[in-house]
Protein backbone atom coordinates (compact mmCIF):
# COMPACT_ATOMS: atom_id res chain seq x y z
CA UNK A 1 0.00 0.00 0.00
CA UNK A 2 1.17 3.51 -0.80
CA UNK A 3 1.73 6.11 1.89
CA UNK A 4 -1.19 8.00 3.44
CA UNK A 5 -1.60 11.70 4.14
CA UNK A 6 -4.35 12.45 6.65
CA UNK A 7 -5.59 16.04 6.55
CA UNK A 8 -7.29 17.73 9.47
CA UNK A 9 -10.42 19.86 9.63
CA UNK A 10 -10.42 22.21 6.62
CA UNK A 11 -13.53 24.28 7.45
CA UNK A 12 -13.63 26.07 4.13
CA UNK A 13 -9.95 27.11 4.13
CA UNK A 14 -9.33 26.24 0.49
CA UNK A 15 -6.18 28.29 -0.08
CA UNK A 16 -4.49 26.56 2.84
CA UNK A 17 -5.64 23.17 1.53
CA UNK A 18 -4.00 23.76 -1.85
CA UNK A 19 -0.84 25.07 -0.18
CA UNK A 20 -0.67 21.95 2.00
CA UNK A 21 -1.19 19.60 -0.94
CA UNK A 22 1.70 21.26 -2.76
CA UNK A 23 3.90 21.09 0.33
CA UNK A 24 3.12 17.38 0.60
CA UNK A 25 4.38 16.90 -2.94
CA UNK A 26 1.07 16.61 -4.78
CA UNK A 27 1.20 17.97 -8.32
CA UNK A 28 -1.69 19.55 -10.17
CA UNK A 29 -2.18 18.06 -13.63
CA UNK A 30 -5.26 18.70 -15.75
CA UNK A 31 -6.92 20.36 -12.80
CA UNK A 32 -6.38 17.41 -10.42
CA UNK A 33 -3.80 16.84 -7.69
CA UNK A 34 -1.88 13.56 -7.76
CA UNK A 35 1.26 12.39 -5.98
CA UNK A 36 4.23 11.09 -8.01
CA UNK A 37 4.58 8.22 -5.51
CA UNK A 38 0.84 7.48 -5.63
CA UNK A 39 0.23 8.45 -2.01
CA UNK A 40 -3.38 8.78 -0.95
CA UNK A 41 -5.14 11.53 0.96
CA UNK A 42 -7.47 10.91 3.89
CA UNK A 43 -9.82 13.76 4.79
CA UNK A 44 -11.06 13.40 8.35
CA UNK A 45 -14.22 15.49 8.12
CA UNK A 46 -15.47 19.03 8.68
CA UNK A 47 -14.80 20.25 5.17
CA UNK A 48 -17.11 23.24 5.56
CA UNK A 49 -18.33 26.04 7.85
CA UNK A 50 -16.67 29.13 9.33
CA UNK A 51 -14.06 29.51 6.56
CA UNK A 52 -14.25 31.55 3.35
CA UNK A 53 -14.67 28.91 0.62
CA UNK A 54 -16.66 25.88 1.75
CA UNK A 55 -18.40 25.29 -1.57
CA UNK A 56 -15.18 24.87 -3.53
CA UNK A 57 -13.67 22.68 -0.81
CA UNK A 58 -16.63 20.33 -1.31
CA UNK A 59 -15.91 20.25 -5.03
CA UNK A 60 -12.18 19.67 -4.49
CA UNK A 61 -12.59 16.80 -2.05
CA UNK A 62 -15.40 15.13 -4.02
CA UNK A 63 -13.27 15.20 -7.18
CA UNK A 64 -10.28 13.68 -5.36
CA UNK A 65 -12.46 10.94 -3.88
CA UNK A 66 -14.13 10.23 -7.24
CA UNK A 67 -10.70 9.86 -8.87
CA UNK A 68 -9.61 7.51 -6.05
CA UNK A 69 -6.84 9.83 -4.99
CA UNK A 70 -8.46 10.39 -1.60
CA UNK A 71 -10.65 8.88 1.10
CA UNK A 72 -13.18 10.90 3.06
CA UNK A 73 -14.97 10.37 6.35
CA UNK A 74 -17.59 12.82 7.68
CA UNK A 75 -17.39 15.12 10.67
CA UNK A 76 -20.10 16.69 12.78
CA UNK A 77 -20.27 19.76 10.54
CA UNK A 78 -20.65 17.47 7.52
CA UNK A 79 -23.47 15.65 9.29
CA UNK A 80 -25.24 18.93 10.00
CA UNK A 81 -24.87 20.18 6.43
CA UNK A 82 -26.27 16.88 5.16
CA UNK A 83 -29.31 17.25 7.40
CA UNK A 84 -29.69 20.82 6.16
CA UNK A 85 -29.72 19.60 2.55
CA UNK A 86 -32.34 17.03 3.49
CA UNK A 87 -34.56 19.85 4.70
CA UNK A 88 -34.50 18.77 8.31
CA UNK A 89 -34.66 21.41 11.07
CA UNK A 90 -31.12 22.42 12.03
CA UNK A 91 -29.81 25.49 13.81
CA UNK A 92 -28.01 27.79 11.36
CA UNK A 93 -25.19 28.62 13.74
CA UNK A 94 -21.75 27.47 14.93
CA UNK A 95 -20.37 28.03 11.42
CA UNK A 96 -23.14 26.61 9.26
CA UNK A 97 -24.37 30.15 8.62
CA UNK A 98 -21.25 30.90 6.52
CA UNK A 99 -21.80 27.85 4.30
CA UNK A 100 -25.50 28.64 3.93
CA UNK A 101 -24.61 32.19 2.86
CA UNK A 102 -22.29 30.79 0.18
CA UNK A 103 -25.00 28.41 -1.01
CA UNK A 104 -27.65 31.13 -1.19
CA UNK A 105 -25.33 33.24 -3.35
CA UNK A 106 -25.17 30.50 -6.00
CA UNK A 107 -27.41 30.30 -9.06
CA UNK A 108 -30.09 27.64 -8.58
CA UNK A 109 -28.42 25.18 -10.95
CA UNK A 110 -25.09 25.52 -9.12
CA UNK A 111 -26.82 25.10 -5.77
CA UNK A 112 -28.46 21.87 -6.88
CA UNK A 113 -25.19 20.58 -8.31
CA UNK A 114 -23.22 21.21 -5.11
CA UNK A 115 -26.08 19.78 -3.03
CA UNK A 116 -26.00 16.59 -5.09
CA UNK A 117 -22.20 16.43 -4.97
CA UNK A 118 -22.04 16.76 -1.22
CA UNK A 119 -24.93 14.42 -0.48
CA UNK A 120 -23.39 11.72 -2.63
CA UNK A 121 -19.98 12.21 -0.99
CA UNK A 122 -21.54 11.96 2.48
CA UNK A 123 -23.80 9.00 1.71
CA UNK A 124 -20.98 6.95 0.22
CA UNK A 125 -18.52 7.69 3.05
CA UNK A 126 -17.82 5.23 5.86
CA UNK A 127 -18.37 6.44 9.42
CA UNK A 128 -14.69 5.79 10.14
CA UNK A 129 -11.96 4.16 8.11
CA UNK A 130 -9.38 1.48 9.02
CA UNK A 131 -6.39 1.57 6.65
CA UNK A 132 -2.93 0.09 6.15
CA UNK A 133 -4.02 -3.45 7.14
CA UNK A 134 -5.95 -1.98 10.08
CA UNK A 135 -2.85 -0.41 11.62
CA UNK A 136 -4.39 3.08 11.48
CA UNK A 137 -7.98 4.31 11.75
CA UNK A 138 -9.38 7.68 10.69
CA UNK A 139 -12.29 8.87 12.85
CA UNK A 140 -13.39 12.49 12.95
CA UNK A 141 -13.73 13.05 16.70
CA UNK A 142 -11.96 9.83 17.63
CA UNK A 143 -13.05 6.28 18.32
CA UNK A 144 -12.43 4.00 21.28
CA UNK A 145 -10.42 0.99 20.21
CA UNK A 146 -13.05 -1.30 21.75
CA UNK A 147 -15.69 0.25 19.43
CA UNK A 148 -13.88 -0.39 16.15
CA UNK A 149 -16.21 -2.55 14.09
CA UNK A 150 -19.36 -0.94 15.50
CA UNK A 151 -21.66 1.45 13.61
CA UNK A 152 -24.59 1.67 16.02
CA UNK A 153 -26.12 4.93 17.22
CA UNK A 154 -23.77 5.30 20.19
CA UNK A 155 -20.66 4.64 18.10
CA UNK A 156 -21.85 7.10 15.45
CA UNK A 157 -22.43 9.82 18.04
CA UNK A 158 -18.95 9.30 19.51
CA UNK A 159 -17.17 9.32 16.14
CA UNK A 160 -18.93 12.45 14.89
CA UNK A 161 -19.25 14.49 18.08
CA UNK A 162 -16.75 13.02 20.51
CA UNK A 163 -17.13 12.08 24.16
CA UNK A 164 -19.38 14.91 25.29
CA UNK A 165 -20.73 15.93 28.67
CA UNK A 166 -24.09 17.63 28.24
CA UNK A 167 -24.75 18.16 31.94
CA UNK A 168 -25.66 21.80 32.46
CA UNK A 169 -25.60 22.52 28.72
CA UNK A 170 -27.84 25.42 27.76
CA UNK A 171 -29.78 25.83 24.52
CA UNK A 172 -27.46 26.89 21.70
CA UNK A 173 -24.37 26.21 23.83
CA UNK A 174 -21.70 23.76 22.77
CA UNK A 175 -21.29 20.74 25.08
CA UNK A 176 -18.13 20.10 27.07
CA UNK A 177 -15.78 17.61 25.43
CA UNK A 178 -14.17 14.97 27.63
CA UNK A 179 -10.56 13.92 27.05
CA UNK A 180 -11.39 10.43 25.77
CA UNK A 181 -7.82 9.39 24.97
CA UNK A 182 -6.86 9.16 28.66
CA UNK A 183 -8.60 5.78 28.95
CA UNK A 184 -7.27 4.30 25.70
CA UNK A 185 -4.78 1.41 25.77
CA UNK A 186 -1.40 2.22 24.25
CA UNK A 187 -1.36 -0.15 21.27
CA UNK A 188 -2.37 -0.62 17.66
CA UNK A 189 -4.14 0.72 15.79
CA UNK A 190 -3.22 4.37 15.56
CA UNK A 191 -6.28 6.64 15.78
CA UNK A 192 -6.11 9.80 13.66
CA UNK A 193 -8.74 12.38 14.52
CA UNK A 194 -9.53 16.09 14.75
CA UNK A 195 -12.64 17.93 15.94
CA UNK A 196 -11.03 19.73 18.91
CA UNK A 197 -8.62 22.52 17.87
CA UNK A 198 -5.12 22.32 19.35
CA UNK A 199 -2.14 24.59 18.69
CA UNK A 200 0.09 21.67 17.70
CA UNK A 201 -0.80 18.03 16.93
CA UNK A 202 -1.51 16.20 20.15
CA UNK A 203 -0.06 12.69 20.44
CA UNK A 204 -1.07 10.36 23.25
CA UNK A 205 -1.20 6.54 23.39
CA UNK A 206 -1.12 6.07 19.63
CA UNK A 207 -3.77 8.69 19.00
CA UNK A 208 -3.06 11.94 17.18
CA UNK A 209 -5.30 14.99 16.95
CA UNK A 210 -4.43 16.90 13.77
CA UNK A 211 -7.07 19.64 13.99
CA UNK A 212 -4.68 22.54 14.45
CA UNK A 213 -7.41 25.14 14.04
CA UNK A 214 -6.76 26.45 10.55
CA UNK A 215 -10.04 28.36 10.52
CA UNK A 216 -9.10 29.98 13.85
CA UNK A 217 -5.73 31.26 12.67
CA UNK A 218 -3.66 28.19 13.51
CA UNK A 219 -2.49 25.84 10.76
CA UNK A 220 -3.73 23.11 8.44
CA UNK A 221 -1.91 19.90 9.32
CA UNK A 222 -1.32 16.55 7.63
CA UNK A 223 -0.19 13.33 9.34
CA UNK A 224 1.90 11.05 7.15
CA UNK A 225 1.68 7.29 7.60
CA UNK A 226 3.70 5.10 7.95
CA UNK A 227 6.36 7.80 8.36
CA UNK A 228 4.71 9.13 11.55
CA UNK A 229 5.52 12.72 10.67
CA UNK A 230 3.41 15.87 10.33
CA UNK A 231 3.44 18.63 7.73
CA UNK A 232 1.58 21.91 8.07
CA UNK A 233 0.96 25.28 6.46
CA UNK A 234 0.04 28.46 8.35
CA UNK A 235 -3.51 29.74 8.34
CA UNK A 236 -4.54 32.87 6.47
CA UNK A 237 -7.50 33.42 8.80
CA UNK A 238 -7.67 35.83 11.77
CA UNK A 239 -6.24 34.48 15.02
CA UNK A 240 -8.74 33.37 17.66
CA UNK A 241 -6.59 31.92 20.46
CA UNK A 242 -9.59 31.35 22.71
CA UNK A 243 -10.80 28.60 20.37
CA UNK A 244 -7.87 26.28 21.12
CA UNK A 245 -7.67 23.68 23.87
CA UNK A 246 -4.54 22.64 25.73
CA UNK A 247 -3.77 19.26 27.30
CA UNK A 248 -1.21 18.32 29.91
CA UNK A 249 -1.00 14.68 28.78
CA UNK A 250 0.93 14.70 25.51
CA UNK A 251 3.77 12.70 23.99
CA UNK A 252 6.42 13.25 21.36
CA UNK A 253 5.61 11.66 18.01
CA UNK A 254 9.27 10.82 17.46
CA UNK A 255 9.07 8.31 20.31
CA UNK A 256 6.93 6.07 18.09
CA UNK A 257 9.20 6.04 15.07
Amino acid sequence: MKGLDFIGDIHGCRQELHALLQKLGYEKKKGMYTHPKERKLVFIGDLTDRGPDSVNVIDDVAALVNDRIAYYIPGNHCDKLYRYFLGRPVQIQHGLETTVAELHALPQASYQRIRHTFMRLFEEAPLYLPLWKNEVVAAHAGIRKKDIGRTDKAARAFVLYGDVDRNGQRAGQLPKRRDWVLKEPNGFPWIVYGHTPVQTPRVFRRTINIDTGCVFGGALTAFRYPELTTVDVPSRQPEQPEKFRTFEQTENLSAYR
Side-chain angles (χ1 to χ4, degrees), residues 147-183:
D147 291 340
I148 295 171
R150 292 175 49 193
T151 57
D152 55 83
K153 185 177 180 180
R156 176 181 173 81
F158 192 102
V159 168
L160 292 178
Y161 293 89
D163 188 6
V164 298
D165 180 1
R166 299 188 183 276
N167 291 330
Q169 181 186 358
R170 299 177 181 178
Q173 186 181 47
L174 293 173
K176 181 180 178 181
R177 299 175 185 177
R178 299 186 184 96
D179 190 8
W180 64 276
V181 303
L182 295 178
K183 298 180 180 179

Side-chain angles (χ1 to χ4, degrees), residues 15-228:
Q15 288 184 317
E16 292 90 336
L17 171 61
H18 286 219
L20 181 57
L21 292 177
Q22 292 164 18
K23 191 170 181 179
L24 289 167
Y26 289 80
E27 301 170 352
K28 197 170 187 180
K29 297 178 180 179
K30 297 181 179 179
M32 182 60 62
Y33 282 101
T34 59
H35 198 279
K37 294 184 179 179
E38 299 182 351
R39 297 181 68 91
K40 288 214 172 184
L41 296 160
V42 187
F43 294 101
I44 62 170
D46 283 5
L47 307 181
T48 65
D49 297 353
R50 299 194 174 109
D53 203 354
S54 291
V55 166
N56 282 317
V57 168
I58 291 171
D59 264 339
D60 288 344
V61 172
L64 287 163
V65 171
N66 287 342
D67 280 10
R68 299 184 179 182
I69 298 165
Y71 302 103
Y72 157 80
I73 58 167
N76 58 302
H77 285 261
C78 304
D79 180 61
K80 192 173 182 181
L81 179 59
Y82 180 73
R83 289 184 283 119
Y84 171 83
F85 279 141
L86 286 175
R88 295 177 182 171
V90 296
Q91 295 181 332
I92 312 298
Q93 59 181 9
H94 302 312
L96 180 58
E97 66 276 9
T98 63
T99 303
V100 169
E102 282 189 56
L103 293 168
H104 285 177
L106 296 173
Q108 184 61 23
S110 297
Y111 175 92
Q112 292 300 333
R113 183 190 63 78
I114 202 68
R115 176 180 180 273
H116 173 77
T117 296
F118 179 79
M119 292 183 72
R120 178 183 175 188
L121 177 70
F122 184 92
E123 290 169 353
E124 294 181 353
L127 176 61
Y128 54 89
L129 186 62
L131 293 162
W132 202 272
K133 297 182 179 179
N134 299 320
E135 288 184 14
V136 58
V137 178
H140 173 68
I143 185 170
R144 293 169 293 204
K145 292 182 174 72
K146 67 179 183 179
D147 291 340
I148 295 171
R150 292 175 49 193
T151 57
D152 55 83
K153 185 177 180 180
R156 176 181 173 81
F158 192 102
V159 168
L160 292 178
Y161 293 89
D163 188 6
V164 298
D165 180 1
R166 299 188 183 276
N167 291 330
Q169 181 186 358
R170 299 177 181 178
Q173 186 181 47
L174 293 173
K176 181 180 178 181
R177 299 175 185 177
R178 299 186 184 96
D179 190 8
W180 64 276
V181 303
L182 295 178
K183 298 180 180 179
E184 284 301 289
N186 190 4
F188 282 107
W190 273 90
I191 307 296
V192 186
Y193 70 106
H195 187 57
T196 300
V198 287
Q199 292 284 1
T200 58
R202 187 219 181 174
V203 178
F204 193 70
R205 295 181 180 169
R206 292 190 190 273
T207 70
I208 181 167
N209 177 357
I210 58 170
D211 178 6
T212 47
C214 186
V215 76
F216 299 129
L220 188 63
T221 294
F223 172 62
R224 311 200 89 173
Y225 196 88
E227 296 86 351
L228 303 183

